[in-house]
Amino acid sequence: MNQNKNNNFSPLTPNPSLYSLYVHVPFCEKKCCYCSFYSLAGYENKIDSWLENLELEAKRYNLNPKIKIKTLYIGGGTPTILKISQWYELMRILNENFNLENLIEATTEANPNSLTPEHIKFFLENNFTRVSLGVQSLNDGELKILGRLHDSKKALEAMRLVKNSGLLLNCDLIFAIPGQTLRTWANSLKTVIKFASHISTYQLTLEPETPLALNFDNEKLNEDGYKFYRYAQYYLPRKNFFQYEISNFSPDGNECKHNLAYWTQENVIALGPSAVSYIDGVRYKNPASISKYFNENLIEREKLSPRESKIEKIILAFRTKWGVNYKDLLPEAKKILDSMPEDLFIKSPERIVLSPRGMRLGNSIWCELIDL
Ligand code: SF4
């Protein structure tokens, strides 16, 4: 892996096509018990310095003409921890350095605890199209175990606020929470579909360094996860939320276009600490440390070989309902897939796609492919 330390560093050629843009807001009100994302709690006094450094980073991409951005995603962390004045500053920085006139989608993540009507007003005025809300569960006991700041009442208020604004609402939900039952999971899904236009479901994974990992057994949770996932696969399509990716369900046409850019290996510029850009087959990783991001500007550069890139492309494509075109499949990969049980796949003359069962066992399929 190469490392670049250069204030003028920009991986772009002067003739860019449409890019996607991600901004990482590395601040949260409180650290949730299971979270291993790079985010800091209690550092609100650093938000203005983060914005100053974000502007320096964005300027490195400021070409003439400006790069056209097709999807924008503000993630974190907790973007709704930003005050409205800080949101104005963020959008000024992005507008000054990128061409946002061709946006087909603009999303921000939000937490039920900090999302306000003022945020919603700002998002509408600034052409945002989607809010991705960290609901996680609508059971108060489960929210407590996860260490979330909100309860189910607060989550419902936030969902109502977004839905009534006319913005598209994605709800994140977590399954295999200790103590969760199929009944509480079904209840969370049943309530969320009344508000959401898109649902992302994630299995709780206990990363070793998180507080929750000290009290619960990851292996046991993983075994339990299967039945929750299977229920979501059964229930959501009957309510018009079709599975279009391993973790994502939506009515046709509501798929998250920004995430599709990752899964189809399109170019993504990512700003902020721990953000990872992917540009023309090269990955650029910012340090997952705010002080290193502010002071050292050290970027890790990882160039994928054509073969690595192709294998990654196959794995990413398999995550989606569109699967892989046979002409993009390496012969070795085809041999491995042919040796696996037939019911993991749906095959047509042109494409091979994971079946619902294949989606449930996706991890073991990637493991076979990644070592090719
Ligand atoms: S709000 Fe999200 S990013 Fe922040 S600590 Fe909780 S899970 Fe992590």
Side-chain angles (χ1 to χ4, degrees):
M1 201 167 294
N2 299 329
Q3 292 196 323
N4 284 295
K5 189 179 179 188
N6 173 359
N7 285 332
N8 297 317
F9 164 75
S10 171
L12 298 175
T13 53
N15 186 21
S17 56
L18 286 180
Y19 281 71
S20 287
L21 177 62
Y22 173 81
V23 177
H24 188 72
V25 182
F27 304 101
C28 288
E29 290 166 271
K30 172 184 173 276
K31 200 74 189 162
C32 301
C33 300
Y34 61 95
C35 178
S36 61
F37 296 122
Y38 180 67
S39 72
L40 302 164
Y43 280 73
E44 284 86 336
N45 61 350
K46 296 278 182 215
I47 294 177
D48 291 334
S49 318
W50 164 75
L51 281 164
E52 283 165 23
N53 283 277
L54 197 79
E55 180 160 22
L56 295 179
E57 192 183 9
K59 277 187 172 160
R60 289 187 230 138
Y61 293 94
N62 190 339
L63 305 179
N64 187 9
K66 284 181 196 162
I67 298 163
K68 289 181 186 164
I69 302 298
K70 68 169 184 173
T71 67
L72 170 66
Y73 195 104
I74 314 291
T78 304
T80 41
I81 202 172
L82 265 57
K83 293 186 272 192
I84 299 300
S85 56
Q86 292 165 328
W87 268 101
Y88 272 107
E89 181 61 1
L90 172 59
M91 292 313 293
R92 178 194 67 73
I93 292 166
L94 300 183
N95 274 304
E96 278 185 18
N97 292 288
F98 299 95
N99 178 346
L100 302 183
E101 285 165 18
N102 300 284
L103 281 181
I104 54 169
E105 180 183 271
T107 305
T108 179
E109 291 181 352
N111 265 350
N113 207 52
S114 50
L115 179 70
T116 63
E118 290 71 33
H119 283 121
I120 295 287
K121 186 166 174 274
F122 178 87
F123 301 149
L124 288 168
E125 285 169 2
N126 285 272
N127 300 325
F128 277 79
T129 54
R130 294 163 54 93
V131 172
S132 181
L133 194 66
V135 173
Q136 316 309 1
S137 165
L138 288 172
N139 177 283
D140 288 340
E142 291 167 11
L143 288 167
K144 261 211 175 86
I145 286 181
L146 294 174
R148 300 293 303 200
L149 279 173
H150 65 273
D151 58 12
S152 54
K153 183 167 171 272
K154 195 92 190 159
L156 283 166
E157 278 169 24
M159 287 194 286
R160 202 166 284 125
L161 185 61
V162 180
K163 184 175 167 70
N164 290 345
S165 73
L167 288 161
L168 293 174
L169 170 64
N170 174 57
C171 291
D172 281 354
L173 289 175
I174 294 180
F175 60 89
I177 302 167
Q180 190 173 34
T181 63
L182 264 184
R183 185 181 288 268
T184 61
W185 175 235
N187 186 50
S188 290
L189 290 172
K190 189 174 146 199
T191 309
V192 153
I193 57 165
K194 294 182 191 155
F195 299 90
S197 31
H198 184 286
I199 296 173
S200 303
T201 61
Y202 301 103
Q203 172 153 357
L204 181 64
T205 311
L206 301 179
E207 301 297 339
E209 72 278 17
T210 58
L212 210 56
L214 298 175
N215 301 324
F216 296 99
D217 176 4
N218 216 1
E219 235 168 77
K220 170 84 178 56
L221 291 184
N222 274 334
E223 284 167 22
D224 285 354
Y226 196 83
K227 66 178 184 224
F228 295 105
Y229 188 53
R230 200 175 163 151
Y231 181 78
Q233 285 184 313
Y234 162 81
Y235 176 73
L236 290 175
R238 282 166 177 73
K239 300 294 172 186
N240 205 29
F241 285 80
F242 304 107
Q243 184 167 26
Y244 71 95
E245 196 265 346
I246 291 275
S247 307
N248 289 286
F249 299 80
S250 79
D252 287 339
N254 279 1
E255 296 87 1
C256 176
K257 294 173 187 67
H258 182 83
N259 285 340
L260 287 175
Y262 289 105
W263 300 321
T264 51
Q265 270 189 344
E266 289 182 14
N267 287 335
V268 179
I269 296 169
L271 308 178
S274 80
V276 182
S277 303
Y278 181 86
I279 297 165
D280 297 336
V282 184
R283 210 169 268 126
Y284 301 89
K285 295 186 189 172
N286 282 345
S289 149
I290 202 158
S291 58
K292 285 189 181 155
Y293 177 70
F294 286 0
N295 302 316
E296 294 178 18
N297 189 27
L298 211 56
I299 297 159
E300 278 181 13
R301 184 179 181 280
E302 185 189 5
K303 171 119 184 75
L304 301 182
S305 70
R307 185 181 170 79
E308 286 168 332
S309 177
K310 201 155 190 185
I311 291 169
E312 190 176 282
K313 188 174 183 155
I314 293 169
I315 292 175
L316 289 169
F318 260 133
R319 293 186 65 101
T320 72
K321 71 171 181 182
W322 298 279
V324 183
N325 194 311
Y326 279 113
K327 71 176 167 43
D328 294 328
L329 208 52
L330 294 166
E332 311 89 283
K334 184 168 183 311
K335 207 167 156 198
I336 287 179
L337 297 174
D338 283 345
S339 71
M340 291 180 176
E342 281 287 314
D343 66 349
L344 296 179
F345 307 101
I346 299 166
K347 295 175 182 173
S348 70
E350 298 87 36
R351 310 190 77 78
I352 173 165
V353 177
L354 290 189
S355 67
R357 181 160 188 267
M359 291 262 184
R360 292 197 286 278
L361 297 172
N363 279 347
S364 34
I365 299 173
W366 322 146
C367 286
E368 297 287 328
L369 295 174
I370 201 106
D371 290 331
L372 270 177

